[in-house]
């Protein structure tokens, strides 16, 4: 029986990852990084003036995020190795967040998605309006099609 090294086993495991399978770790990672707040936190850190941002600066930058959600998002990103948290003892305590090299590699992708959304929102809104306007017509057409189908199944008893 041939033996394999740890590096060979890791390489084989990488080949076998399939994000379409719910139990695959890559599926779980995609679930994490596709979260709206994750995308915005990573993009904000990538576009920061300096190498890091304070917790309060992130809270101001991300309109609508609650302190609880910001904390949960930052903790999950720290756990996944996307960012590092640095606590500086002072009064009040200063907490800074900075992207890791892994986070920087992800930031390009997530920032591109954010930029795409900002660039194409008008087109998306127009498409939504067309769909919503047509949806009422489609419902009427579906009802008419159903009525036509029902009528075609009946026989006429006209003498």
């Amino acid at each position: 029986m041939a033996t394999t090294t740890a590096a060979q086993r890791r390489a084989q495991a990488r080949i076998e990852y399939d994000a379409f399978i719910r139990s695959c770790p890559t599926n779980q990672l995609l679930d994490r990084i596709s979260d709206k707040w994750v995308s915005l936190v990573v993009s904000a850190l990538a576009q920061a003036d300096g190498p890091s941002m304070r917790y309060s600066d992130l809270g101001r930058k991300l309109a609508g995020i609650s302190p609880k959600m910001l904390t949960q998002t930052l903790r999950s990103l720290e756990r996944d190795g996307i960012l590092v948290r640095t606590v500086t003892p002072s009064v009040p305590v200063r907490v800074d967040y900075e992207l890791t090299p892994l986070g920087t590699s992800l930031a390009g992708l997530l920032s591109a998605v954010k930029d795409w959304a900002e660039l194409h929102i008008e087109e998306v809104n127009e498409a939504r309006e067309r769909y919503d306007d047509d949806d009422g017509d489609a419902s009427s057409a579906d009802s008419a099609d159903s009525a036509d189908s029902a009528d075609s199944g009946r026989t006429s008893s006209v003498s």
Side-chain angles (χ1 to χ4, degrees):
M1 195 186 268
T3 59
T4 58
T5 65
Q8 290 170 324
R9 286 191 300 273
R10 283 192 303 274
Q12 183 60 34
R14 270 195 297 278
I15 293 169
E16 294 171 3
Y17 288 144
D18 185 349
F20 291 109
I21 299 173
R22 183 161 176 77
S23 61
C24 182
T26 56
N27 180 284
Q28 296 160 7
L29 180 59
L30 282 173
D31 185 47
R32 170 72 49 87
I33 63 176
S34 65
D35 177 77
K36 170 179 81 170
W37 295 120
V38 166
S39 178
L40 292 174
V41 165
V42 171
S43 294
L45 287 170
Q47 296 171 358
D49 291 334
S52 65
M53 285 183 80
R54 295 180 70 172
Y55 178 91
S56 57
D57 294 333
L58 280 166
R60 279 190 294 277
K61 178 85 172 167
L62 304 173
I65 192 168
S66 69
K68 179 182 177 184
M69 183 54 66
L70 179 57
T71 299
Q72 288 175 350
T73 302
L74 291 167
R75 284 183 182 162
S76 70
L77 290 170
E78 183 180 15
R79 180 174 183 257
D80 290 342
I82 305 298
L83 58 80
V84 292
R85 175 180 185 258
T86 305
V87 178
T88 305
S90 61
V91 178
V93 173
R94 179 184 173 113
V95 181
D96 292 288
Y97 294 90
E98 183 176 354
L99 292 174
T100 63
L102 183 62
T104 301
S105 70
L106 176 61
L109 299 170
L110 295 180
S111 292
V113 170
K114 181 190 82 59
D115 293 344
W116 182 91
E118 292 170 349
L119 182 64
H120 295 285
I121 187 61
E122 294 301 322
E123 294 169 72
V124 171
N125 284 337
E126 290 169 8
R128 288 175 178 170
E129 288 175 16
R130 282 192 308 275
Y131 180 87
D132 292 345
D133 290 344
D134 292 345
D135 192 36
D137 297 339
S139 296
S140 299
D142 290 344
S143 298
D145 289 344
S146 297
D148 288 345
S149 297
D151 287 344
S152 66
R154 296 186 199 133
T155 56
S156 176
S157 59
V158 177
S159 331

